[in-house]
């Protein structure tokens, strides 16, 4: 009863009713997912740019013999693409395990331009046979209100004036994937996009808008990410839109202290990823993100997988507890001890899920 009671209290919009009032069925579930994307662009994240004119890469640093103890090749690439004729480029690391044919792959949206990095345990990933690419989000566009910086400036020139920066970082992750699919032999049935916190919100958006990602991994993403907004504790729309208005489109500000007026909740974002995999990780001391609201979002989204004949979330009918790992369904979840952080523990548990 815990989950149904909680979800009733939160009174979130129904996944199975189109905006025009008609009902969602197995036949038109894809249309509803397309509608989720329309709603999310209109109400919270802003408009996605059109597909790029081209994507190309130039290797600017070659692999070295001792990369990851000689078990991997690490190269740095300058990735360039154009939107409506305007070019933009940013650096990308591509890390491939040696001696693994068609590895599973993760596109990691990171805070820093480091390889490895405190949030990227490169050797652990390589030792488990995973290939990955990573870029620093600030190399795409600054994390502030400067809308002339980087991709933001490029998009403004071609008419995108209300696209939030989360969408820009997600768009860059998609371009990274374009390049990887052109140049590397990877397992196309197992491609994840991953990020922590603001970049966990970004990973969910990338997964929701690009079906080539077979899994979206959001670590401690909280408000405007994996956490249900209605009834959430910790961060609220009022704080996030005041402190980080540039992450979102302007309309999102209309919902400050008016959560009940939202025509969606974050289970729309998660359900847009169905019937592929979503992985949501929480940390118990991260009350700003609100682990319970992240857990409830998994449960609230679950039925959207059922309509595709797939298992959604298989959890327990109680509040989440430290040590929980729910890995059976296509929505995976874990809750660990400790603070807001993208830890090795998070990666190792996620990899157990991703490598199943
Ligand atoms: C702030 C912000 C969060 C965000 C976090 C992060 O705490 O309020 O929404 O997730 O930064 O990205 O670390």
């Amino acid at each position: 009863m815990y989950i149904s009671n909680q979800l009733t209290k939160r009174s979130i919009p129904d996944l199975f009713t189109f905006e025009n009032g008609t009902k969602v069925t197995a036949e038109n579930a894809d249309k509803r997912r397309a509608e989720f994307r329309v709603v999310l662009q209109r109400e919270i994240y802003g408009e996605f740019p059109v597909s790029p004119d081209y994507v190309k890469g130039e290797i600017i640093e070659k692999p070295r013999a001792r990369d990851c103890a000689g078990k991997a090749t690490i190269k740095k690439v300058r990735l360039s693409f154009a939107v409506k004729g305007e070019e933009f480029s940013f650096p990308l690391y591509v890390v491939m395990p040696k001696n693994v044919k068609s590895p599973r792959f993760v596109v990691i949206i990171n805070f820093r331009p480091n390889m490895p990095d405190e949030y990227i345990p490169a050797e652990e990933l390589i030792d488990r046979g995973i290939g990955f690419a990573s870029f620093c989000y600030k190399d795409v566009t600054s994390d502030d209100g400067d809308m002339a910086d980087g991709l933001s400036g490029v998009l403004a020139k071609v008419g995108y004036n209300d696209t939030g920066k989360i969408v820009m970082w997600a768009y860059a992750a998609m371009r990274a994937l374009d390049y990887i699919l052109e140049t590397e032999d990877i397992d196309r049935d197992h491609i994840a996009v991953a990020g922590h916190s603001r970049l966990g919100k970004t990973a969910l958006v990338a997964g929701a808008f690009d079906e080539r990602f077979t899994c979206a991994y959001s670590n401690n993403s909280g408000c405007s990410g994996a956490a249900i907004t209605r009834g959430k504790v910790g961060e609220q729309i009022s704080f996030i839109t005041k402190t980080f208005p540039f992450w979102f489109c302007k309309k999102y500000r209309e919902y400050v202290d008016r959560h009940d007026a939202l025509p969606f909740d974050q289970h729309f974002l998660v359900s847009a990823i169905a019937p592929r995999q979503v992985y949501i990780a929480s940390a118990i001391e991260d009350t700003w993100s609100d682990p319970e609201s992240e857990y409830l979002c998994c449960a609230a989204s679950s039925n959207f997988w059922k309509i595709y004949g797939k298992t959604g979330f298989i959890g327990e009918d109680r509040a989440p507890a430290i040590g929980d790992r729910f890995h059976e369904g296509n929505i995976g979840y874990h809750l660990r001890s400790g603070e807001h952080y993208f830890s090795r523990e998070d990666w190792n548990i996620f990899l157990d899920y991703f490598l199943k």
Side-chain angles (χ1 to χ4, degrees), residues 18 23-32 307-308:
F18 281 97
K23 289 288 168 202
V24 176
T25 61
E27 288 65 46
N28 62 23
D30 281 350
K31 278 210 179 107
R32 179 61 168 153
I307 207 164
Y308 284 98

PDB file of all heavy atoms in Angstrom, residues 18 23-32 307-308:
ATOM      1  N   PHE A  18      -3.930  11.142 -23.334  1.00  0.00           N
ATOM      2  CA  PHE A  18      -3.330  12.166 -24.206  1.00  0.00           C
ATOM      3  C   PHE A  18      -3.821  13.547 -23.789  1.00  0.00           C
ATOM      4  O   PHE A  18      -4.866  13.686 -23.147  1.00  0.00           O
ATOM      5  CB  PHE A  18      -3.748  11.922 -25.670  1.00  0.00           C
ATOM      6  CG  PHE A  18      -2.977  10.828 -26.361  1.00  0.00           C
ATOM      7  CD1 PHE A  18      -3.499   9.539 -26.440  1.00  0.00           C
ATOM      8  CD2 PHE A  18      -1.743  11.091 -26.941  1.00  0.00           C
ATOM      9  CE1 PHE A  18      -2.797   8.531 -27.087  1.00  0.00           C
ATOM     10  CE2 PHE A  18      -1.031  10.089 -27.591  1.00  0.00           C
ATOM     11  CZ  PHE A  18      -1.562   8.804 -27.662  1.00  0.00           C
ATOM     12  N   LYS A  23      -7.517   8.062 -24.773  1.00  0.00           N
ATOM     13  CA  LYS A  23      -6.754   7.114 -23.947  1.00  0.00           C
ATOM     14  C   LYS A  23      -5.586   6.474 -24.707  1.00  0.00           C
ATOM     15  O   LYS A  23      -5.683   6.219 -25.911  1.00  0.00           O
ATOM     16  CB  LYS A  23      -7.698   5.996 -23.465  1.00  0.00           C
ATOM     17  CG  LYS A  23      -8.695   6.490 -22.410  1.00  0.00           C
ATOM     18  CD  LYS A  23      -8.000   6.762 -21.073  1.00  0.00           C
ATOM     19  CE  LYS A  23      -8.900   7.514 -20.114  1.00  0.00           C
ATOM     20  NZ  LYS A  23      -8.167   8.233 -19.062  1.00  0.00           N
ATOM     21  N   VAL A  24      -4.566   6.199 -23.978  1.00  0.00           N
ATOM     22  CA  VAL A  24      -3.387   5.549 -24.553  1.00  0.00           C
ATOM     23  C   VAL A  24      -3.598   4.032 -24.559  1.00  0.00           C
ATOM     24  O   VAL A  24      -4.078   3.466 -23.575  1.00  0.00           O
ATOM     25  CB  VAL A  24      -2.128   5.910 -23.733  1.00  0.00           C
ATOM     26  CG1 VAL A  24      -0.900   5.180 -24.245  1.00  0.00           C
ATOM     27  CG2 VAL A  24      -1.902   7.422 -23.737  1.00  0.00           C
ATOM     28  N   THR A  25      -3.259   3.410 -25.688  1.00  0.00           N
ATOM     29  CA  THR A  25      -3.353   1.953 -25.801  1.00  0.00           C
ATOM     30  C   THR A  25      -1.978   1.422 -26.235  1.00  0.00           C
ATOM     31  O   THR A  25      -1.088   2.210 -26.559  1.00  0.00           O
ATOM     32  CB  THR A  25      -4.357   1.573 -26.909  1.00  0.00           C
ATOM     33  OG1 THR A  25      -3.863   2.121 -28.146  1.00  0.00           O
ATOM     34  CG2 THR A  25      -5.748   2.119 -26.633  1.00  0.00           C
ATOM     35  N   ALA A  26      -1.872   0.089 -26.292  1.00  0.00           N
ATOM     36  CA  ALA A  26      -0.599  -0.497 -26.747  1.00  0.00           C
ATOM     37  C   ALA A  26      -0.265  -0.009 -28.162  1.00  0.00           C
ATOM     38  O   ALA A  26       0.899   0.198 -28.500  1.00  0.00           O
ATOM     39  CB  ALA A  26      -0.698  -2.014 -26.720  1.00  0.00           C
ATOM     40  N   GLU A  27      -1.305   0.210 -28.981  1.00  0.00           N
ATOM     41  CA  GLU A  27      -1.075   0.606 -30.379  1.00  0.00           C
ATOM     42  C   GLU A  27      -0.528   2.027 -30.508  1.00  0.00           C
ATOM     43  O   GLU A  27       0.226   2.317 -31.428  1.00  0.00           O
ATOM     44  CB  GLU A  27      -2.370   0.507 -31.211  1.00  0.00           C
ATOM     45  CG  GLU A  27      -2.822  -0.909 -31.523  1.00  0.00           C
ATOM     46  CD  GLU A  27      -3.221  -1.687 -30.266  1.00  0.00           C
ATOM     47  OE1 GLU A  27      -3.966  -1.115 -29.430  1.00  0.00           O
ATOM     48  OE2 GLU A  27      -2.761  -2.833 -30.101  1.00  0.00           O
ATOM     49  N   ASN A  28      -0.965   2.910 -29.621  1.00  0.00           N
ATOM     50  CA  ASN A  28      -0.514   4.307 -29.799  1.00  0.00           C
ATOM     51  C   ASN A  28       0.449   4.778 -28.687  1.00  0.00           C
ATOM     52  O   ASN A  28       0.650   5.980 -28.521  1.00  0.00           O
ATOM     53  CB  ASN A  28      -1.711   5.254 -29.954  1.00  0.00           C
ATOM     54  CG  ASN A  28      -2.598   5.252 -28.717  1.00  0.00           C
ATOM     55  OD1 ASN A  28      -2.145   4.917 -27.628  1.00  0.00           O
ATOM     56  ND2 ASN A  28      -3.855   5.637 -28.876  1.00  0.00           N
ATOM     57  N   ALA A  29       1.063   3.828 -27.999  1.00  0.00           N
ATOM     58  CA  ALA A  29       1.983   4.210 -26.900  1.00  0.00           C
ATOM     59  C   ALA A  29       3.177   5.021 -27.418  1.00  0.00           C
ATOM     60  O   ALA A  29       3.654   5.930 -26.730  1.00  0.00           O
ATOM     61  CB  ALA A  29       2.460   2.964 -26.160  1.00  0.00           C
ATOM     62  N   ASP A  30       3.634   4.713 -28.642  1.00  0.00           N
ATOM     63  CA  ASP A  30       4.754   5.495 -29.198  1.00  0.00           C
ATOM     64  C   ASP A  30       4.343   6.952 -29.406  1.00  0.00           C
ATOM     65  O   ASP A  30       5.141   7.871 -29.220  1.00  0.00           O
ATOM     66  CB  ASP A  30       5.204   4.920 -30.545  1.00  0.00           C
ATOM     67  CG  ASP A  30       6.088   3.691 -30.371  1.00  0.00           C
ATOM     68  OD1 ASP A  30       6.506   3.401 -29.224  1.00  0.00           O
ATOM     69  OD2 ASP A  30       6.354   3.013 -31.385  1.00  0.00           O
ATOM     70  N   LYS A  31       3.072   7.134 -29.824  1.00  0.00           N
ATOM     71  CA  LYS A  31       2.575   8.503 -30.017  1.00  0.00           C
ATOM     72  C   LYS A  31       2.548   9.244 -28.685  1.00  0.00           C
ATOM     73  O   LYS A  31       2.832  10.435 -28.620  1.00  0.00           O
ATOM     74  CB  LYS A  31       1.147   8.482 -30.582  1.00  0.00           C
ATOM     75  CG  LYS A  31       1.077   8.284 -32.042  1.00  0.00           C
ATOM     76  CD  LYS A  31      -0.178   9.003 -32.607  1.00  0.00           C
ATOM     77  CE  LYS A  31      -0.242   8.815 -34.104  1.00  0.00           C
ATOM     78  NZ  LYS A  31      -1.286   7.873 -34.511  1.00  0.00           N
ATOM     79  N   ARG A  32       2.178   8.557 -27.650  1.00  0.00           N
ATOM     80  CA  ARG A  32       2.162   9.200 -26.335  1.00  0.00           C
ATOM     81  C   ARG A  32       3.591   9.566 -25.909  1.00  0.00           C
ATOM     82  O   ARG A  32       3.822  10.645 -25.367  1.00  0.00           O
ATOM     83  CB  ARG A  32       1.514   8.250 -25.316  1.00  0.00           C
ATOM     84  CG  ARG A  32       1.454   8.802 -23.896  1.00  0.00           C
ATOM     85  CD  ARG A  32       0.641  10.081 -23.751  1.00  0.00           C
ATOM     86  NE  ARG A  32       0.377  10.397 -22.354  1.00  0.00           N
ATOM     87  CZ  ARG A  32       0.167  11.628 -21.890  1.00  0.00           C
ATOM     88  NH1 ARG A  32       0.150  12.665 -22.715  1.00  0.00           N
ATOM     89  NH2 ARG A  32      -0.076  11.811 -20.607  1.00  0.00           N
ATOM     90  N   ILE A 307       2.723  -1.508 -20.872  1.00  0.00           N
ATOM     91  CA  ILE A 307       1.920  -1.357 -22.087  1.00  0.00           C
ATOM     92  C   ILE A 307       2.692  -1.868 -23.314  1.00  0.00           C
ATOM     93  O   ILE A 307       2.109  -2.254 -24.321  1.00  0.00           O
ATOM     94  CB  ILE A 307       1.409   0.103 -22.239  1.00  0.00           C
ATOM     95  CG1 ILE A 307       0.124   0.117 -23.048  1.00  0.00           C
ATOM     96  CG2 ILE A 307       2.448   1.018 -22.829  1.00  0.00           C
ATOM     97  CD1 ILE A 307      -0.668   1.393 -22.943  1.00  0.00           C
ATOM     98  N   TYR A 308       3.998  -1.923 -23.184  1.00  0.00           N
ATOM     99  CA  TYR A 308       4.836  -2.509 -24.242  1.00  0.00           C
ATOM    100  C   TYR A 308       5.079  -4.011 -23.999  1.00  0.00           C
ATOM    101  O   TYR A 308       5.903  -4.621 -24.670  1.00  0.00           O
ATOM    102  CB  TYR A 308       6.191  -1.805 -24.298  1.00  0.00           C
ATOM    103  CG  TYR A 308       6.150  -0.435 -24.950  1.00  0.00           C
ATOM    104  CD1 TYR A 308       6.077   0.730 -24.186  1.00  0.00           C
ATOM    105  CD2 TYR A 308       6.186  -0.311 -26.338  1.00  0.00           C
ATOM    106  CE1 TYR A 308       6.047   1.980 -24.791  1.00  0.00           C
ATOM    107  CE2 TYR A 308       6.162   0.940 -26.948  1.00  0.00           C
ATOM    108  CZ  TYR A 308       6.093   2.078 -26.167  1.00  0.00           C
ATOM    109  OH  TYR A 308       6.073   3.309 -26.767  1.00  0.00           O
TER     110      TYR A 308
END
